[in-house]
Amino acid sequence: MTIRVLLADDQALLRATFRILIDSDPGLTVVAEATDGREAVDLARLHTPDVVLMDIRMPGTDGLAATADICSRPELAATRVLILTTFENDQNVARALRAGASGFLGKDVGPDVLLAGIRTVAAGDSLLSPTATRTLITRFLATPDDDAPLAPPERLIALTEREREVMALAAHGKSNAEIADHLVVSPLTVRSHVQRAMTKLHARDRAQLVVIAYQSGLVRPRAHGDD
């Protein structure tokens, strides 16, 4: 099944480059291009793409507002947003993650990384490497945001003890394989726990599960230098 992609970036040359690359893959296709966030929302509603490749910094309605809009619409529940940014220096990334973005890529990534990232997000997984997760949490998610209310701890009551344990390990940036080694279970079992936790907490994906883990107080950001 072909993965349908919507490009949202105000730079025409960059959009053209991404289109050529994506359309060269037989399993991917670009269905539309948007030059700002408002157009991205309108085209997402029109085409219901599998993935929106979204730049944060655009004139008018930016990618941050567009991400929140797209991820809040029930009719676009199956659409995933993959943010294009240099997230190490962009504090808006945490807000995009809270709004429902499923992952992040730098604009300077290689072709193989970009295509693999699109497939990862389209499959329902989050593009958050352990290093990226730790960096993101430490720098941004620990910072209070008056525009994004914290998830109340009582949301976790529905989870089993093992589901909370797996969720906490995922929030610390551990992969399913690492969690499986730590708990001495199979990666498939870990994935099942993650999926059940997501369902119970109404999280769109693993990225939102990480946000809820920190906002609810299930885990706390580690001090700088902690392993």
Side-chain angles (χ1 to χ4, degrees):
M1 183 176 177
T2 301
I3 297 171
R4 304 166 68 252
V5 181
L6 166 63
L7 300 178
D9 197 297
D10 62 319
Q11 298 182 48
L13 180 58
L14 197 57
R15 291 199 313 274
T17 301
F18 284 145
R19 175 182 277 276
I20 291 171
L21 176 60
I22 292 169
D23 284 344
S24 69
D25 188 304
L28 307 174
T29 186
V30 174
V31 295
E33 297 181 24
T35 60
D36 60 31
R38 182 69 262 162
E39 189 176 16
V41 174
D42 292 341
L43 290 175
R45 296 179 65 190
L46 178 63
H47 296 281
T48 58
D50 300 300
V51 177
V52 178
L53 204 56
M54 180 83 75
D55 184 23
I56 283 185
R57 300 184 183 281
M58 292 184 288
T61 301
D62 64 13
L64 182 61
T67 296
D69 195 337
I70 289 171
C71 293
S72 69
R73 294 177 179 272
E75 70 271 24
L76 295 176
T79 296
R80 299 290 180 254
V81 177
L82 179 55
I83 297 291
L84 285 171
T85 184
T86 53
F87 68 83
E88 294 89 348
N89 300 314
D90 195 338
Q91 296 191 24
N92 284 331
V93 168
R95 294 179 63 190
L97 183 61
R98 293 186 185 104
S102 295
F104 309 93
L105 282 176
K107 288 189 175 183
D108 58 350
V109 297
D112 291 343
V113 174
L114 175 65
L115 297 178
I118 293 172
R119 292 193 190 91
T120 296
V121 170
D125 293 324
S126 293
L127 196 63
L128 289 173
S129 69
T131 300
T133 302
R134 295 188 187 107
T135 300
L136 189 63
I137 295 302
T138 301
R139 294 184 182 181
F140 305 129
L141 288 183
T143 302
D145 186 344
D146 294 336
D147 295 329
L150 299 179
E154 53 266 28
R155 288 190 65 180
L156 305 180
I157 293 176
L159 302 184
T160 65
E161 182 177 351
R162 180 47 61 93
E163 287 165 355
R164 286 194 294 271
E165 187 175 15
V166 168
M167 182 176 170
L169 291 169
H172 281 305
K174 293 187 180 297
S175 67
N176 283 356
E178 290 172 330
I179 296 172
D181 287 343
H182 180 79
L183 299 178
V184 194
V185 297
S186 73
L188 182 60
T189 297
V190 172
R191 185 178 180 85
S192 295
H193 286 310
V194 170
Q195 291 292 337
R196 283 197 292 270
M198 285 167 48
T199 299
K200 291 178 180 180
L201 296 174
H202 305 289
R204 287 173 63 93
D205 53 29
R206 191 185 185 103
Q208 283 205 323
L209 202 64
V210 169
V211 172
I212 294 171
Y214 279 87
Q215 290 187 329
S216 65
L218 177 65
V219 291
R220 302 290 183 184
R222 295 173 175 177
H224 181 69
D226 286 357
D227 188 359

